[in-house]
Amino acid sequence: MPPSLPARARIVVIGGGVIGASVAYHLGLMGERDVVVLERDRLTSGTTWHAAGLMTTFGSTSHTSTDLRLYSRDLYARLEAETGVSTGFRPVGLIEAAADADRLHEYRRVAAFQRTRGLEVHEISPREIVERFPFARVDDLLAGFLVPGDGRVNPVDLTMSLARGAKDRGIRIIEGVRVTDVRCARGAAVGVDTDQGFLECEIVVNCAGMWARELGLRTGLVIPNQAAEHYYLITEPIEGVTPDLPIFEDPAAYGYYREEGGGLMVGLFEPDAAPWRVDGIPSDFSFGTLPPDWDRVGPALQTAMERVPVTLGAGIRILFCGPESFTPDLAPVVGEASGLRGYFVCAGLNSVGVLSAGGLGRIMAHWITTGAPDVDVTGFSADRFHPWHGTPAFRRDRTTEVLGTVYAAHTPGRVLSSARGVRRSPLHERHVAAGAYFRDVSGWEMPDWYAGEGLSPEATPAWGRSPWWEQWETEHRAVREAAGLIDMSFMAAFLVQGPDAGAMLSWLSTARVADQVGRIVYTQWLTDAGTIDADLT
């Protein structure tokens, strides 16, 4: 039987995966003691238990993402000394393969950026790849990118280590209690309803993973993470494979590879993914696997195994398919919910939950205890989504496509084609007539450039100067030298009314706005700390 549910706690964390455990641990570091973690079954029983355990930092051009991954890596390396519970962290290194010119260009840019954030990364030759990972076929590879400090962790051990660190600071973790709803009053969270009664609190943190969307929906929140099938296999032992073998990734072949039990794990991010249970995740799904669709993933798996040919002849010990949850833009949902004080979300981790957990836990704990994040979380903000992002049709179609971009080359000019046409401006048909090439901007179909009257726009993603730059120049000169109509339908509009509206706007803004009748004023709105919170006219 689980421990009895307390009547009250200051903070309730919902979910006992690696994210919930990290949030609890970092709340303890920040001095919070009156914290309860509620897990519907047992710790790690959702998706954490079957995570691949990669602790890799390479691949991001975001300051926030890079820094939180570096923090995670450092935390996992030192946590055992603090808690006495191993995280399984082994800094065996990462090699990221560049199989084509687009990826080589992208990875060189990524490497240059991440070096500015303190990441050690080196470009190496195909010969040097084989010296470190002798099982790879490198005849068609252009280069590799070596990150010596990256490695692997054991996701279950890591979660238990974080949980131990939280418990050592007086935080209670209760398993076997399912949260059925978050109770709100007067625009704020006031407690949680569970299958064992009501628990009053001031702050709720939704770390429910695959279940976060359905839980948030009960209080009107849009958390559009959708579960999808994720595959890997583990071979029988292979001669020469040791625990010190680096992690090897070849996105062009859809695969990642690491040692497991003396054999090799071959993980897969196939180009066309399969959503799972769009209608909702079963509440009793624990330590569960999914029936694999090998006919669908077979071609991608064959490509992945051909990159490491020794796997083709090895015996297969495990063929695994399990769910991971993804968001429409492959960014997590983090922060305080819009319009509900004290309701925080940290979910939608897009298969990088383990390597992000340490940093996200720190960010969340700082935000909860101080009232504001100490890093730029614009791209993660929990209030960036709209109700239509959560509809079944949108989640089904977008997940299939967006998961396929995880291992795609991220060449400028690529656009998503699924779940389009949600919003169209009053000028849409005029844009079409002018040959507009459309992009999805917050759900709006907005023109990126114009091919010309009566012409059909075509675009090939590319680095450097693109063919449509001439159209951009024509548009720019038209507006600069004559006049132009700018469609701003995608931008939010705020109506501020009342006798003190002008004074309030002048206090909030950096520019004089109240007495500028008939003029557009470009200004910023500031936070209490004096930093920019919004940029507007």
Side-chain angles (χ1 to χ4, degrees), residues 118-280:
L119 179 66
E120 182 185 356
V121 52
H122 309 279
E123 183 175 338
I124 61 177
S125 68
R127 179 181 57 81
E128 292 173 302
I129 294 176
V130 172
E131 290 173 356
R132 292 167 173 82
F133 194 93
F135 306 99
R137 179 177 58 83
V138 301
D139 57 301
D140 59 344
L141 297 182
L142 301 180
F145 290 81
L146 171 67
V147 185
D150 280 356
R152 49 184 289 194
V153 297
N154 183 307
V156 174
D157 291 351
L158 169 61
T159 304
M160 298 307 176
S161 189
L162 289 165
R164 169 51 56 195
K167 291 177 181 178
D168 288 347
R169 290 171 173 80
I171 290 173
R172 289 169 288 181
I173 298 177
I174 306 177
E175 299 176 298
V177 177
R178 184 168 67 90
V179 175
T180 58
D181 204 356
V182 176
R183 200 179 297 187
C184 300
R186 298 178 298 280
V190 297
V192 297
D193 291 305
T194 79
D195 55 3
Q196 297 186 28
F198 176 69
L199 172 53
E200 181 185 356
C201 65
E202 301 171 24
I203 295 170
V204 172
V205 191
N206 182 344
C207 302
M210 294 186 294
W211 295 268
R213 179 187 63 82
E214 296 167 75
L215 180 61
L217 190 61
R218 293 175 189 144
T219 45
L221 302 186
V222 181
I223 308 171
N225 59 328
Q226 172 60 48
E229 297 175 3
H230 182 62
Y231 292 80
Y232 59 74
L233 64 82
I234 299 174
T235 73
E236 296 288 353
I238 296 172
E239 185 178 355
V241 174
T242 70
D244 295 326
L245 192 71
I247 295 164
F248 178 60
E249 293 187 354
D250 179 15
Y254 317 125
Y256 60 86
Y257 317 83
R258 70 162 176 82
E259 183 272 343
E260 179 66 31
L264 286 173
M265 172 188 282
V266 180
L268 194 68
F269 280 102
E270 69 269 31
D272 297 300
W276 179 67
R277 294 302 299 261
V278 176
D279 57 331

Side-chain angles (χ1 to χ4, degrees), residues 79-427:
L79 194 59
E80 181 179 357
E82 175 192 327
T83 66
V85 180
S86 172
T87 65
F89 177 64
R90 294 180 65 89
V92 295
L94 164 73
I95 300 172
E96 189 87 0
D100 52 68
D102 270 5
R103 284 182 171 84
L104 181 58
H105 191 110
E106 176 186 352
Y107 295 166
R108 282 174 172 167
R109 284 174 173 250
V110 169
F113 168 79
Q114 292 195 292
R115 288 187 192 106
T116 70
R117 307 306 300 166
L119 179 66
E120 182 185 356
V121 52
H122 309 279
E123 183 175 338
I124 61 177
S125 68
R127 179 181 57 81
E128 292 173 302
I129 294 176
V130 172
E131 290 173 356
R132 292 167 173 82
F133 194 93
F135 306 99
R137 179 177 58 83
V138 301
D139 57 301
D140 59 344
L141 297 182
L142 301 180
F145 290 81
L146 171 67
V147 185
D150 280 356
R152 49 184 289 194
V153 297
N154 183 307
V156 174
D157 291 351
L158 169 61
T159 304
M160 298 307 176
S161 189
L162 289 165
R164 169 51 56 195
K167 291 177 181 178
D168 288 347
R169 290 171 173 80
I171 290 173
R172 289 169 288 181
I173 298 177
I174 306 177
E175 299 176 298
V177 177
R178 184 168 67 90
V179 175
T180 58
D181 204 356
V182 176
R183 200 179 297 187
C184 300
R186 298 178 298 280
V190 297
V192 297
D193 291 305
T194 79
D195 55 3
Q196 297 186 28
F198 176 69
L199 172 53
E200 181 185 356
C201 65
E202 301 171 24
I203 295 170
V204 172
V205 191
N206 182 344
C207 302
M210 294 186 294
W211 295 268
R213 179 187 63 82
E214 296 167 75
L215 180 61
L217 190 61
R218 293 175 189 144
T219 45
L221 302 186
V222 181
I223 308 171
N225 59 328
Q226 172 60 48
E229 297 175 3
H230 182 62
Y231 292 80
Y232 59 74
L233 64 82
I234 299 174
T235 73
E236 296 288 353
I238 296 172
E239 185 178 355
V241 174
T242 70
D244 295 326
L245 192 71
I247 295 164
F248 178 60
E249 293 187 354
D250 179 15
Y254 317 125
Y256 60 86
Y257 317 83
R258 70 162 176 82
E259 183 272 343
E260 179 66 31
L264 286 173
M265 172 188 282
V266 180
L268 194 68
F269 280 102
E270 69 269 31
D272 297 300
W276 179 67
R277 294 302 299 261
V278 176
D279 57 331
I281 310 301
S283 60
D284 60 351
F285 185 82
S286 295
F287 300 105
T289 61
L290 307 180
D293 183 352
W294 295 114
D295 289 338
R296 183 180 65 79
V297 303
L301 182 60
Q302 178 75 16
T303 300
M305 296 178 76
E306 287 173 351
R307 175 57 67 196
V308 183
V310 69
T311 62
L312 292 168
I316 305 301
R317 183 154 50 96
I318 295 174
L319 288 167
F320 180 84
C321 177
E324 295 273 4
S325 58
F326 297 85
T327 61
D329 56 5
L330 291 181
V333 185
V334 175
E336 193 168 20
S338 179
L340 279 179
R341 296 187 310 279
Y343 192 143
F344 288 81
V345 181
C346 192
L349 273 299
N350 303 285
S351 205
V352 293
V354 170
L355 63 89
S356 303
L360 285 177
R362 189 207 67 78
I363 292 170
M364 292 295 295
H366 186 279
W367 197 334
I368 291 166
T369 56
T370 68
D374 60 346
V375 297
D376 181 7
V377 293
T378 304
F380 302 165
S381 177
D383 62 2
R384 71 185 186 273
F385 293 113
H386 302 276
W388 45 265
H389 280 116
T391 61
F394 184 93
R395 286 184 285 110
R396 181 187 62 247
D397 295 345
R398 179 54 61 86
T399 301
T400 298
E401 182 183 19
V402 77
L403 182 47
T405 69
V406 171
Y407 268 8
H410 305 105
T411 313
R414 292 186 182 274
V415 296
L416 296 174
S417 59
S418 61
R420 295 289 296 270
V422 176
R423 291 177 170 179
R424 294 181 174 180
S425 85
L427 300 178

